[in-house]
Amino acid sequence: MRTVREVKALRGVVASWKAVGQTVAVVPTMGALHPGHLSLIAAARAGADRVIATIFVNPRQFNKPEDLARYPRTEDRDAGMLATAGVDLLFAPPAEAVYPEGFATSVSVAGLSEGLCGAHRPGHFDGVATVVTKLFLMTGADRAFFGEKDWQQLQIVRRLARDLNIPVAVTGCPTLREADGLAMSSRNTRLSPADRAAAPALFRAMSAAVAAIRRGTPPDEALARARLEVLRAGFSEVEYLELRGAEGLEPLDAPDRPARILAAAWLGGVRLIDNIAIDS
Ligand code: PAF
């Protein structure tokens, strides 16, 4: 696996692949890789001739400077994992290669970015949309792979590719879970042992709500019960636990179209998110 840090070098490698008719997939990451990321790499390998992984801790998507500062940076370890997983090229640019002096453009996906995580992390999704747009344009990838765990992010990325006519096919890959149901996330390592033991309560409560709604329980009743269960398990705050349309993320009173329950909740100073389909 080759590592490049400059856009020119990246474009050179991609041009050489495309010149011989090879298709290219990209898996954008911020590093601190876990098996969930490796499942995206595996899907990318199955879906294209060549795979690029990117590692860039994007300053524009952090609301708080302290979160950016403490985000784990483990490039050597990550690069080893990516090489073993069969990635062809790692693009790990410095911040100046992505946001040069005078950078003044922002991509904002209205509507989809506003509720759920967007309501609690102002500017976060504009930062994500801007960097993902740049990564699509810099790599020129034909396909891109994102985790369904960040469901709102996935819908935003699909929409920006469509709205801006970027010729990349975006694929969502299923959330990988620990044996006890906790969605894999680089944030899980920040949980204390006691909080790690309590954390699966979020998925358990959401799964129980999904089952109840499928049985005909009114969604507000099922969601209120789930909220209570999460708080009883030791979470300090439920930011949201809602039923939304799967694609447009519109609030729903009933699952009368493809729908998902999405949640964000705080446990011991760590913000966990998850989502589950109602109709699967
Ligand atoms: O999901 C992430 O890791 C990030 O939001 C992404 C898509 C790599 C953009 O920085």
Side-chain angles (χ1 to χ4, degrees):
M1 183 184 75
R2 194 173 151 192
T3 299
V4 297
R5 302 195 186 273
E6 296 301 326
V7 180
K8 194 169 168 206
L10 167 69
R11 289 216 166 110
V13 177
V14 173
S16 72
W17 292 339
K18 291 204 168 176
V20 293
Q22 293 181 326
T23 54
V24 179
V26 65
V27 179
T29 81
M30 297 207 300
L33 303 181
H34 53 70
H37 293 107
L38 299 182
S39 74
L40 304 182
I41 302 291
R45 285 194 65 190
D49 300 317
R50 296 288 191 170
V51 176
I52 304 171
T54 71
I55 297 180
F56 179 61
V57 182
N58 174 30
R60 291 189 170 234
Q61 69 186 77
F62 287 84
N63 314 79
K64 299 183 191 150
E66 60 271 26
D67 286 349
L68 173 62
R70 77 169 169 200
Y71 196 85
R73 287 157 174 89
T74 53
E75 188 186 309
D76 288 349
R77 170 191 160 274
D78 294 342
M81 290 167 76
L82 293 170
T84 306
V87 166
D88 296 287
L89 184 71
L90 168 60
F91 179 52
E96 324 76 82
V98 179
Y99 301 119
E101 187 65 32
F103 186 86
T105 301
S106 178
V107 177
S108 186
V109 180
L112 284 178
S113 300
E114 280 150 27
L116 304 170
C117 288
H120 297 270
R121 304 184 67 190
H124 166 69
F125 284 124
D126 290 358
V128 171
T130 302
V131 83
V132 169
T133 300
K134 288 192 62 116
L135 292 170
F136 284 170
L137 297 175
M138 290 188 290
T139 59
D142 307 293
R143 301 195 64 185
F145 293 81
F146 292 83
E148 288 185 349
K149 169 163 174 290
D150 295 295
W151 185 263
Q152 188 174 11
Q153 168 174 284
L154 176 61
Q155 303 319 308
I156 289 167
V157 167
R158 284 190 202 283
R159 184 70 64 83
L160 75 84
R162 192 194 76 180
D163 287 357
L164 299 176
N165 300 99
I166 302 176
V168 61
V170 175
T171 299
C173 300
T175 302
L176 248 59
R177 297 186 180 280
E178 304 290 354
D180 57 12
L182 178 65
M184 287 189 188
S185 163
S186 31
R187 288 168 182 240
N188 296 350
T189 56
R190 289 173 30 211
L191 294 167
S192 70
D195 289 338
R196 174 62 191 81
L202 180 61
F203 177 63
R204 257 199 322 271
M206 293 172 73
S207 304
V210 167
I213 293 169
R214 283 192 190 133
R215 283 195 309 269
T217 306
D220 4 345
E221 205 180 303
L223 295 173
R225 203 177 307 146
R227 240 169 211 277
L228 215 61
E229 278 168 29
V230 169
L231 292 171
R232 270 198 202 123
F235 282 71
S236 55
E237 184 193 344
V238 177
E239 269 185 7
Y240 62 81
L241 203 162
E242 294 184 24
L243 178 67
R244 296 276 180 133
E247 232 183 274
L249 303 180
E250 66 285 10
L252 296 181
D253 293 329
D256 53 8
R257 66 201 81 169
R260 291 185 98 85
I261 289 184
L262 299 104
W266 286 88
L267 179 62
V270 181
R271 186 174 182 274
L272 300 178
I273 62 170
D274 206 342
N275 69 89
I276 313 182
I278 290 282
D279 46 334
S280 62

